[in-house]
Amino acid sequence: MAIITKIEAQKRSKDRVNIYVDEEYFMAVYAELVYTHSLKKGMEIDKESLESLLHDEMYMKAKNKALSVLSKSDQSEKKLREKLLNDYDENIVEEVIEFLKGYKLINDNLLAEKIVHDNMNLSKFGKNKIKQNLYNKGISASDIQDAISQIDPDEEYENAKYLAEKRLKRLKGEDKNKINQKIYQHLAYKGFNYDIIKRVLRELLNFDEFDC
């Protein structure tokens, strides 16, 4: 059975300590694990205890990485899991994900609602663009459908009209057909479907014979 021969605080990281077993460096762990596992110099430690210590160390590292990532930007469960799996075993990652879900630090439904709200109110995007943004964020197909279904068709139309009017100001003096084409392309890029674009252009340009 191995014996802990030294426990010393790291000079650069006050929250971490170095553990020496049988006079040789064994590993660095978070200081709180010393208390959690009641570790002390001269203590005999078996393989099972060492494995438990290593597990807890990796869990705390993974959890702190997850919290750091979330402090910078909201993440879907899928995207966060992918980032953690680059460095940690699946069982550790699942424990961290469950911890985060338990404290409501990740919630795909709320994240999807937030993305839709921001895309509609700040970016003025259409449904197609919003769907793509939700997919890129790692939101599931079912959650995407739920979030998209809450979009008010009238609000989406008003967004398209707003963007078209804004673009029209930059196109004054150009040929009417070119204006039609450029605004159509702009709105399509912003995620609006054919019917909304056609309706906006007919109202905006008073051109009943417009056909995309």
Side-chain angles (χ1 to χ4, degrees), residues 21-90:
V21 174
D22 295 335
E23 303 297 343
E24 294 184 357
Y25 173 79
F26 174 63
M27 67 183 298
V29 300
Y30 285 97
E32 65 182 89
L33 293 181
V34 172
Y35 304 102
T36 302
H37 290 265
S38 300
L39 303 178
K40 58 185 177 181
K41 181 180 178 180
M43 173 182 175
E44 291 186 340
I45 186 166
D46 57 24
K47 181 180 179 181
E48 185 177 313
S49 298
L50 289 174
E51 289 176 349
S52 177
L53 177 62
L54 181 60
H55 171 277
D56 289 352
E57 164 69 7
M58 296 306 290
Y59 170 76
M60 290 190 67
K61 280 186 175 181
K63 183 174 72 172
N64 286 341
K65 177 178 179 177
L67 293 173
S68 176
V69 170
L70 290 170
S71 71
K72 296 178 177 66
S73 65
D74 294 327
Q75 300 286 320
S76 66
E77 181 179 332
K78 177 184 177 182
K79 289 296 185 181
L80 185 58
R81 178 181 277 105
E82 288 175 353
K83 291 178 180 179
L84 294 178
L85 284 172
N86 288 330
D87 300 307
Y88 303 100
D89 291 339
E90 187 174 353

Side-chain angles (χ1 to χ4, degrees), residues 3-194:
I3 296 177
I4 296 176
T5 51
K6 185 176 17 177
I7 299 176
E8 65 176 8
Q10 291 189 353
K11 294 180 180 179
R12 294 185 178 179
S13 302
K14 295 181 180 180
D15 63 335
R16 294 180 65 75
V17 299
N18 297 325
I19 296 178
Y20 292 77
V21 174
D22 295 335
E23 303 297 343
E24 294 184 357
Y25 173 79
F26 174 63
M27 67 183 298
V29 300
Y30 285 97
E32 65 182 89
L33 293 181
V34 172
Y35 304 102
T36 302
H37 290 265
S38 300
L39 303 178
K40 58 185 177 181
K41 181 180 178 180
M43 173 182 175
E44 291 186 340
I45 186 166
D46 57 24
K47 181 180 179 181
E48 185 177 313
S49 298
L50 289 174
E51 289 176 349
S52 177
L53 177 62
L54 181 60
H55 171 277
D56 289 352
E57 164 69 7
M58 296 306 290
Y59 170 76
M60 290 190 67
K61 280 186 175 181
K63 183 174 72 172
N64 286 341
K65 177 178 179 177
L67 293 173
S68 176
V69 170
L70 290 170
S71 71
K72 296 178 177 66
S73 65
D74 294 327
Q75 300 286 320
S76 66
E77 181 179 332
K78 177 184 177 182
K79 289 296 185 181
L80 185 58
R81 178 181 277 105
E82 288 175 353
K83 291 178 180 179
L84 294 178
L85 284 172
N86 288 330
D87 300 307
Y88 303 100
D89 291 339
E90 187 174 353
N91 64 317
I92 294 290
V93 172
E94 289 304 319
E95 287 185 50
V96 172
I97 292 296
E98 288 306 311
F99 165 81
L100 297 172
K101 290 169 72 173
Y103 283 90
K104 294 181 174 30
L105 296 175
I106 52 173
N107 185 315
D108 283 4
N109 286 325
L110 292 179
L111 177 58
E113 290 177 6
K114 181 178 184 298
I115 292 172
V116 169
H117 178 273
D118 290 348
N119 278 197
M120 287 289 292
N121 293 282
L122 301 178
S123 303
K124 308 295 185 182
F125 289 151
K127 281 185 180 181
N128 293 336
K129 186 81 167 181
I130 296 174
K131 284 181 182 179
Q132 186 62 46
N133 289 341
L134 289 168
Y135 175 80
N136 291 341
K137 267 290 190 177
I139 304 298
S140 69
S142 59
D143 286 338
I144 288 176
Q145 189 57 44
D146 288 343
I148 289 296
S149 67
Q150 302 302 314
I151 293 177
D152 184 343
D154 292 334
E155 184 179 354
E156 185 183 16
Y157 170 75
E158 289 301 322
N159 282 347
K161 184 179 177 182
Y162 167 83
L163 292 176
E165 289 172 341
K166 190 174 180 181
R167 180 52 59 101
L168 181 60
K169 292 178 182 178
R170 297 167 54 182
L171 299 173
K172 283 187 176 180
E174 291 198 25
D175 176 78
K176 195 169 187 178
N177 288 327
K178 287 185 177 180
I179 292 176
N180 282 336
Q181 183 180 19
K182 289 182 178 180
I183 292 180
Y184 177 86
Q185 292 172 343
H186 180 62
L187 293 183
Y189 173 76
K190 292 292 184 178
F192 297 96
N193 64 36
Y194 171 83

